[in-house]
Amino acid sequence: MASSFRCQAVPTPPDPSRIVVDPERDRRFMAAALSLGWRNQGRAVPNPSVGAIIVREGEMPVVVGRGLTAPGGRPHGEALALLDAGEAARGATAYVTLEPCAHHGRAGPCCEALVQAGVARVVTAMEDPDHRVAGKGHAHLRAHGIAVTVGVMEAEARRAHAGHIARILHRRPHLVLKLAVSADGAIGRTGDGQVSISGPESLAYAHAMRAESDAILIGIGTALADDPRLTCRLPGMESRSPIRVVVDPDARLPLSSQIARTAQTFPVICFVAPDAPDDRVRALRDAFVDVRVANRRGGRIDFDDLLVQLGTIGIGRLMVEGGARIARGLVERDLVDEFHLVTSPVIIARAGLPPLPASTLAKRPGISR
C-alpha cells in the first residue's frame, strides 16, 4: 500500500542583518519561554528547567519550536525546541531563559546546536553563573555571526532559576520556608500532633509549592507528631511529588511511618548524625530510605553540611514545611531565601507552639515574601 506524507515548505531564512529588534516583542516571547520552563520546575534535577522558544521573524512572527528541560535534566530545552522546529529554525530567533551551555556533558553544548541549526539571533534572559558557561555560550554564538541579546526579563529569570543560582554560587539549594500561623500566632499545639490551621485554599497552595520544589524538608519531630506523607496530592499531580528529606539525628523515623512505607515510590533522604544507632540506620536502608550522615553542631544536625550535600546531588529548590525548631535554626543561620506565610483565623489558644515572628523574618536581608 502506498504511503503518503505532507511536505511543509520552509520559508527562505531572513538575512540576520535585517532582523528588526523589537524590545516589546522580545519581552513577550521571553515571558512565554519563562512560563514554559516553569512547567518542569521541580522535575529537572540536577539541572535547571530552561524554557526555549524558536520564532520565525517577519511582519507576523510565528513560533515554530518549543522546548523545556526534560525530567531528569536531559535533553535541554534548547535541544528540544530545535528538534521541534526542524529546518524552520534556520534564520529564526531563539528565546532562551538561561545562557545556552558551552560545555560537553552527555550531549553536545547547546550553543553549538544553535549554531548548527542556523539560527540568526539568540535572546537570553541571563548569563549562566556556572563557571563552565559564564559567558562562554554567548561568546560562542557571537563568534559564529549570531546576533545575541542578553538580559531580557532578567529579574524574572533569576527568580525562576534561583535554585540553580544558589547551587552554583553558594553550594546549597535555594531555601523556601513555608509556615501556617493561627490568628493567635501559633503553628500547632504541644503534644496534640497535627492541628488543622490551614484551609482548603492554602492546602492546595502548599501542594502546588511541593510540585514546584526539588525536595521538601521536615524535622523528625514533625515526622513523629504528624506522620505526614509529604507528597503532592493535587489531582493528577502525585508524580510531581518532591524528594522527601527528614532531619533525623538519631534515626528515629518509624518504619511504619507514611514516609518510610512509601520510600520505594517517592524517594526519601534521611540525614542522621555520625553516632546514630547502626541497627536503626540499617533498618531504614533496608526500607529503601537513602540514609546520609551529616555532622552535628550543638547537638543538632549541622544545616550547612546538610544543605551542601543536597546541593551536591542537584537539589536546587528546597521547601521547608516543618517545624518551628527547624525554621528557627535556618533563620538564625541566615539560610532562608524565600518566605511564605499563610495566616489563618483559627485560634489555637491552649499550649500553642509559637513560630518565629513574621516581623523577624521580614527584616532579614535578602528574603523575598
Side-chain angles (χ1 to χ4, degrees):
M1 184 171 68
S3 61
S4 62
F5 63 93
R6 289 191 307 167
C7 180
Q8 182 178 0
V10 178
T12 302
D15 181 347
S17 65
R18 299 182 62 185
I19 292 178
V20 178
V21 176
D22 182 341
E24 179 58 22
R25 180 185 291 182
D26 286 350
R27 189 196 67 79
R28 290 181 179 180
F29 280 120
M30 186 59 72
L34 285 164
S35 179
L36 180 64
W38 192 264
R39 293 183 187 179
N40 273 350
Q41 189 74 261
R43 303 182 74 195
V45 175
N47 293 327
S49 184
V50 173
I53 292 179
I54 312 295
V55 179
R56 290 289 307 186
E57 296 292 350
E59 188 173 336
M60 183 64 70
V62 177
V63 174
V64 295
R66 299 175 179 84
L68 68 160
T69 307
R74 295 282 181 177
H76 287 181
E78 301 97 314
L80 292 175
L82 290 172
L83 181 65
D84 189 34
E87 274 299 310
R90 190 164 299 278
T93 296
Y95 291 87
V96 188
T97 62
L98 186 67
E99 179 181 8
C101 64
H103 57 283
H104 287 267
R106 283 178 290 173
C110 288
C111 63
E112 290 186 3
L114 289 163
V115 170
Q116 292 167 5
V119 300
R121 181 172 177 243
V122 174
V123 181
T124 67
M126 59 175 286
E127 183 177 293
D128 191 335
D130 190 329
H131 72 278
R132 297 172 299 175
V133 188
K136 298 182 183 71
H138 291 145
H140 183 85
L141 296 171
R142 291 188 179 105
H144 286 80
I146 295 175
V148 177
T149 300
V150 182
V152 176
M153 298 192 73
E154 181 174 359
E156 292 82 356
R158 287 188 172 277
R159 286 194 289 272
H161 297 311
H164 174 66
I165 295 169
R167 281 187 59 231
I168 297 300
L169 298 183
H170 308 300
R171 297 177 60 236
R172 66 170 179 83
H174 176 81
L175 202 149
V176 182
L177 175 61
K178 177 257 176 186
L179 287 175
V181 184
S182 68
D184 53 344
I187 62 168
R189 188 177 291 142
T190 304
D192 282 0
Q194 189 170 20
V195 177
S196 180
I197 295 176
S198 305
E201 295 85 359
S202 60
L203 285 174
Y205 177 73
H207 282 266
M209 287 180 64
R210 291 180 182 181
E212 296 170 349
S213 300
D214 298 336
I216 182 170
L217 180 145
I218 62 170
I220 184 60
T222 299
L224 294 174
D226 299 347
D227 190 23
R229 192 174 180 184
L230 298 183
T231 55
C232 175
R233 293 191 294 280
L234 295 176
M237 294 185 68
E238 196 167 28
S239 64
R240 299 291 301 260
S241 297
I243 296 171
R244 284 93 49 89
V245 181
V246 183
V247 183
D248 185 12
D250 300 309
R252 293 190 293 152
L253 183 68
L255 299 181
S256 60
S257 66
Q258 292 197 79
I259 290 176
R261 286 190 290 107
T262 57
Q264 272 190 284
T265 306
F266 303 106
V268 180
I269 299 175
C270 194
F271 278 96
V272 303
D275 57 349
D278 290 339
D279 57 337
R280 294 180 187 173
V281 169
R282 282 195 301 271
L284 287 172
R285 286 178 171 153
D286 288 344
F288 302 97
V289 173
D290 181 359
V291 180
R292 295 172 181 258
V293 178
N295 296 325
R296 282 191 190 265
R297 177 182 291 195
R300 302 178 185 176
I301 290 290
D302 182 351
F303 282 124
D304 292 315
D305 184 13
L306 178 152
L307 292 175
V308 166
Q309 289 193 48
L310 289 178
T312 300
I313 63 172
I315 303 300
R317 188 174 179 87
L318 176 64
M319 178 182 176
V320 180
E321 198 166 286
R325 179 178 292 181
I326 293 286
R328 185 175 297 277
L330 292 170
V331 171
E332 287 175 349
R333 297 192 60 77
D334 286 327
L335 293 172
V336 176
D337 301 297
E338 190 176 322
F339 173 50
H340 294 248
L341 178 66
V342 177
T343 57
S344 166
V346 171
I347 296 177
I348 297 296
R350 178 176 59 85
L353 291 169
L356 285 165
S359 59
T360 300
L361 285 164
K363 293 176 182 176
R364 311 295 287 199
I367 289 184
S368 59
R369 295 175 291 136

